[in-house]
C-alpha cells in the first residue's frame, strides 16, 4: 500500500517539484497540496494522509503552528509531519521539533533523502537531515558554555556507541551496518536512550551527546 502524502508550501514551483519527486516513487502517492498552513491543517484533517510534508514559513498559519495542530503533544490522533525548509540556524528548527515534527529536511536534501524521510515518518521512525543535525550541534556548541569534563553517563557502552552515531547524523540503517546490529536493535537502543536522558528527538539526543563531551568523530 502506498504512503499517502500531503504537501504544504507557499511556493508553487516547490510544491510542483516535491510532488514530481514523490509521485515518481512506486510506494508514495501525493493526495493533496496546500499553499498555507491553515489550508494544510484543514486538508490533512479531511484526507488523513499518512505523512504531511510542511514548509516552516507560510502565510495565514506558519508551518510551526500547522505542525503543532497536526502532530503536537495534545493532539489525540496525530499525523506524522516532516518539516522541509531552508535552514538559517534560528529557533525555528528547535521549535518545529518541539511542535511534534518527526523529520526535518533541507530543501536541497535530494530526492532519495526526501523519499526516505517520508517512508520513515510513515512507519513511525524519525529521519533528520544529517546536515541539520551537524549544524544544530555546531550552533549549540557556539552558544553553550564549554564543559571541561565529561558528565557521568546513564548509558551502557553499546548505547554510547549508538548515541555517538546518531550525533554524527547516521540513519538507523547506517548505525546498524556500522555497529553490526539489526535495525530492530538500533531502534530499541534509541528508545532506551531517549527514555534515560529525557530526549524527545534525535537532535536533542545529539546535543546531549555533545554536552557530555562525547566524540562526534
Amino acid at each position: 500500500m502506498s504512503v499517502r502524502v500531503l504537501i504544504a508550501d507557499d511556493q508553487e514551483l516547490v510544491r510542483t517539484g516535491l510532488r514530481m519527486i514523490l509521485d515518481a516513487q512506486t510506494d508514495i502517492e501525493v493526495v493533496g497540496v496546500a499553499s498555507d498552513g491553515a489550508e494544510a491543517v484543514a486538508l490533512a484533517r479531511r484526507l488523513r494522509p499518512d505523512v504531511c510534508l510542511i514548509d516552516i514559513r507560510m502565510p495565514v498559519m506558519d508551518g510551526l503552528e500547522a505542525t503543532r495542530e497536526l502532530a503536537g503533544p495534545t493532539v489525540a490522533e496525530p499525523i506524522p509531519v516532516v518539516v522541509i525548509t531552508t535552514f538559517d540556524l534560528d529557533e525555528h528548527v528547535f521549535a518545529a521539533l518541539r511542535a511534534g515534527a518527526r523529520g526535518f529536511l533541507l530543501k536541497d536534501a535530494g530526492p532519495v533523502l526526501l523519499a526516505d524521510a517520508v517512508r520513515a515518518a510513515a512507519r513511525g521512525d524519525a529521519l533528520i537531515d544529517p546536515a541539520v543535525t551537524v549544524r544544530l550541534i555546531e550552533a549549540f556548541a557556539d552558544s553553550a558554555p564549554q564543559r571541561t569534563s565529561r558528565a557521568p553517563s546513564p548509558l551502557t557502552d553499546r548505547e554510547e556507541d549508538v548515541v555517538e552515531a546518531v550525533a554524527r547524523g547516521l540513519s538507523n540503517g547506517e548505525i546498524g551496518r556500522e555497529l553490526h546490529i539489526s535495525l530492530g536493535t538500533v531502534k530499541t537502543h534509541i528508545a532506551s536512550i531517549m527514555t534515560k536522558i529525557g530526549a524527545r528527538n534525535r537532535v536533542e539526543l545529539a546535543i546531549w551527546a555533545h554536552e557530555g563531551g562525547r566524540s562526534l568523530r
Side-chain angles (χ1 to χ4, degrees):
M1 183 176 291
S2 295
V3 177
R4 301 169 66 253
V5 180
L6 172 72
I7 296 170
D9 195 290
D10 62 335
Q11 299 180 41
E12 183 177 0
L13 186 61
V14 173
R15 292 196 303 272
T16 301
L18 293 173
R19 182 165 199 160
M20 289 178 63
I21 291 169
L22 294 178
D23 276 341
Q25 310 298 313
T26 57
D27 59 338
I28 297 175
E29 175 191 5
V30 177
V31 296
V33 294
S35 59
D36 63 66
E39 183 183 9
V41 170
L43 269 177
R45 287 173 174 168
R46 178 165 61 87
L47 298 175
R48 300 300 301 181
D50 299 307
V51 178
C52 292
L53 192 62
I54 296 180
D55 185 27
I56 283 184
R57 294 181 177 173
M58 294 185 293
V60 185
M61 177 190 291
D62 67 20
L64 297 177
E65 183 58 31
T67 298
R68 195 172 295 110
E69 290 282 331
L70 295 172
T74 63
V75 178
E77 297 182 8
I79 299 173
V81 171
V82 174
V83 172
I84 181 167
T85 186
T86 54
F87 184 67
D88 53 1
L89 289 175
D90 63 15
E91 73 279 3
H92 292 295
V93 180
F94 290 102
L97 297 170
R98 293 190 194 104
R102 184 163 288 170
F104 201 104
L105 294 178
L106 304 182
K107 286 186 177 177
D108 62 358
V112 173
L113 197 56
L114 173 64
D116 285 348
V118 167
R119 295 185 186 107
R123 64 175 179 261
D125 294 336
L127 191 155
I128 298 176
D129 191 324
V132 174
T133 302
V134 171
R135 291 182 67 177
L136 277 172
I137 294 169
E138 290 174 347
F140 177 86
D142 289 341
S143 61
Q146 296 298 310
R147 297 190 179 186
T148 56
S149 61
R150 176 172 171 149
S153 173
L155 308 182
T156 66
D157 289 344
R158 178 54 89 188
E159 288 172 344
E160 285 281 357
D161 293 338
V162 172
V163 163
E164 292 176 3
V166 170
R168 287 184 280 123
L170 272 62
S171 68
N172 287 356
E174 290 168 335
I175 294 170
R177 288 190 292 274
E178 180 172 294
L179 300 181
H180 306 292
I181 56 179
S182 70
L183 185 60
T185 300
V186 175
K187 292 179 181 178
T188 298
H189 282 316
I190 290 176
S192 173
I193 293 163
M194 288 187 174
T195 298
K196 287 181 178 180
I197 68 175
R200 292 167 292 183
N201 52 64
R202 294 170 84 93
V203 169
E204 289 187 0
L205 190 158
I207 289 173
W208 180 87
H210 181 85
E211 275 192 290
R214 287 153 183 85
S215 170
L216 303 186
R217 60 185 182 277

